[in-house]
Amino acid sequence: MELQAPLDDRTRWSAIGHCPIEKAMGVVGSRSAMLLMREAYYGTHRFDDFVERVGIAPATAATHLRALTDAGLLEPSTYQDPGERARQGYALTAAGADLMPVVIGLFEWGVRYADGNDQLEYAHAGCGASVHVEVRCSDGHAVGIDDIVVRRQPR
């Protein structure tokens, strides 16, 4: 990855406070937040199920679910079991669904480099082929790290 002028002089600019990566990590940068999002992708809606499936304390789950809701990744939903009172659950929003490639990328990286469980895979429901994350330019070319330049957006 290469920084193009004037960004190549790192003494003249800083991304601190306005970097999109920094902003995103402020929302989903914790282990608990990402695992809660994983569970939302897997169809979890109920608070108690999030707590159990992520293995975190209810207070921690409540804090992170509130933050994910406030950030617009999840939205409150209501469910009711037969004979029970209505309860609040959580559903993915469009913004939450748009985070899915990041989660799949973390899954792939975890299998490849962090000794993750490789007994699961993501597959395309339509044809059954494995799903993989890759970086492509807007013209459709596959892009590797050495093919990327960071530049100022044209105004």
Side-chain angles (χ1 to χ4, degrees), residues 34-71:
M34 288 305 289
L35 294 179
L36 289 165
M37 290 303 298
R38 176 202 65 197
E39 287 306 317
Y41 296 126
Y42 290 177
T44 300
H45 296 284
R46 300 171 186 212
F47 178 82
D48 291 342
D49 292 340
F50 278 110
V51 170
E52 179 183 337
R53 294 172 184 167
V54 173
I56 57 178
T60 303
T63 298
H64 286 291
L65 288 166
R66 188 176 317 108
L68 293 168
T69 300
D70 291 347

Side-chain angles (χ1 to χ4, degrees), residues 5-106:
L7 301 177
D8 58 345
D9 182 358
R10 292 305 310 267
T11 64
R12 300 194 59 157
W13 70 277
S14 171
I16 296 172
H18 56 272
C19 171
I21 297 168
E22 179 183 349
K23 299 286 188 180
M25 292 302 290
V27 175
V28 295
S30 73
R31 175 188 176 278
S32 296
M34 288 305 289
L35 294 179
L36 289 165
M37 290 303 298
R38 176 202 65 197
E39 287 306 317
Y41 296 126
Y42 290 177
T44 300
H45 296 284
R46 300 171 186 212
F47 178 82
D48 291 342
D49 292 340
F50 278 110
V51 170
E52 179 183 337
R53 294 172 184 167
V54 173
I56 57 178
T60 303
T63 298
H64 286 291
L65 288 166
R66 188 176 317 108
L68 293 168
T69 300
D70 291 347
L73 300 175
L74 298 176
E75 63 187 359
S77 64
T78 304
Y79 70 91
Q80 186 171 7
D81 291 328
E84 298 283 329
R85 66 178 173 85
R87 295 178 181 256
Q88 180 179 317
Y90 300 89
L92 282 169
T93 63
D98 282 351
L99 187 65
M100 181 260 313
V102 175
V103 174
I104 292 176
L106 286 171

